Amino acid sequence: ARLILTVSEYSRRDIVDVHGVSSARVRVATEAPAEAFKPSTNHQQIEEIAAASGVPPGSRWFAYVGGFNPHKKVELIVRAHARYAHEVGAEFAPHLVLVGPIEGDGFHGALDEIRIAIAREGVEQLVHLPGFMPDEQLAILLSGALGLVLVSAAEGFGLPAVEASACGCPVIATKESPLPELLEGGGLFVSPNDEKALFDAIRLFSEDCDQRARFGRVALERTQLLSWPKAAGVALDALREAAA
């Protein structure tokens, strides 16, 4: 290839380091949230979408959005969430909504293992798998969430965290991604296998509403620096350069 397009400086570094490609041949077209992702202040709609996802009225929740593959570390999220739930008691614990396709995922799914972990931890009443959710509904769910949790082994970009941030939802996200740079100040960033750090982040988001609100405001501000037209411009320039 004359040129290589990727979605972040983080991915560019990996492409250069792992594949031995010259950095001069790599162009970065950064992604952005879709227009549907914006803060909702319609509390009735938020409660309705949350209820449809399994969250009882008046309860709080964290969200995960994505596939159910081993590298997404969803089982780790379940364990850390369950640890906090057991500490404070199920009556006071936030719920956990795992949004993503639960049928027909051919990419090495780990859904059975995740369900086993939920049962083993005894948090079946607190963890919900509503399946795929359209962007418009997802934006409403994220607008009311305590935070979006995405602690994958690696993310080339981490679009679900950026989409959540565009809804004013703070993030608990993996350090193995561009998210600590893209969303600096918009949440907490943890190593993918650090269950204690994830537990501590869940506790802080659950108990410190002022800090969580500050994270949410910064997260929203950071996403306003990203745009699909800007990304399209970079991609078009790369195509023209490669074709010259």
Side-chain angles (χ1 to χ4, degrees):
R2 291 184 179 181
L3 294 177
I4 298 167
L5 271 170
T6 189
V7 294
S8 66
E9 291 294 340
Y10 174 90
S11 291
R12 186 214 290 260
R13 290 192 293 269
D14 268 2
I15 290 168
V16 170
D17 293 344
V18 175
H19 297 287
V21 174
S22 167
S23 62
R25 291 171 54 207
V26 185
R27 303 288 181 272
V28 175
T30 305
E31 298 179 9
E35 290 184 6
F37 291 97
K38 52 192 172 186
S40 173
T41 56
N42 188 324
H43 299 295
Q44 182 178 345
Q45 277 191 337
I46 291 172
E47 191 164 297
E48 288 173 355
I49 294 296
S53 303
V55 179
S59 298
R60 305 179 302 162
W61 66 92
F62 284 93
Y64 163 83
V65 179
F68 298 108
N69 320 107
H71 73 284
K72 294 292 189 176
K73 304 289 182 181
V74 179
E75 189 175 338
L76 183 78
I77 298 172
V78 169
R79 290 202 307 269
H81 166 265
R83 179 178 167 188
Y84 181 70
H86 295 320
E87 180 178 284
V88 300
E91 181 182 355
F92 304 103
H95 289 244
L96 176 61
V97 182
L98 306 176
V99 180
I102 56 178
E103 295 179 358
D105 184 4
F107 180 57
H108 195 56
L111 193 54
D112 288 344
E113 290 87 344
I114 293 165
R115 284 180 164 140
I116 289 170
I118 293 168
R120 183 176 62 242
E121 298 294 340
V123 288
E124 297 98 323
Q125 301 304 312
L126 291 173
V127 183
H128 314 284
L129 290 143
F132 171 80
M133 191 175 293
D135 287 353
E136 291 75 14
Q137 294 179 19
L138 180 57
I140 294 170
L141 181 77
L142 293 170
S143 293
L146 294 175
L148 184 283
V149 188
L150 185 73
V151 292
S152 315
E155 288 284 345
F157 187 77
L159 188 58
V162 171
E163 291 171 339
S165 296
C167 299
C169 176
V171 302
I172 302 171
T174 177
K175 288 182 178 178
E176 292 300 324
S177 71
L179 296 170
E181 299 170 35
L182 289 172
L183 301 176
E184 183 178 3
L188 295 175
F189 303 94
V190 302
S191 297
N193 292 310
D194 194 337
E195 186 173 331
K196 183 182 184 305
L198 177 54
F199 165 78
D200 289 341
I202 288 172
R203 173 192 273 165
L204 186 144
F205 274 47
S206 300
E207 298 179 3
D208 192 337
C209 59
D210 291 336
Q211 181 62 72
R212 188 179 69 245
R214 284 193 289 270
F215 283 149
R217 287 193 295 270
V218 174
L220 179 58
E221 291 170 1
R222 297 290 291 179
T223 61
Q224 292 170 354
L225 302 175
L226 304 171
S227 77
W228 281 113
K230 187 185 297 184
V234 173
L236 182 58
D237 288 345
L239 291 171
R240 286 172 170 156
E241 185 179 353

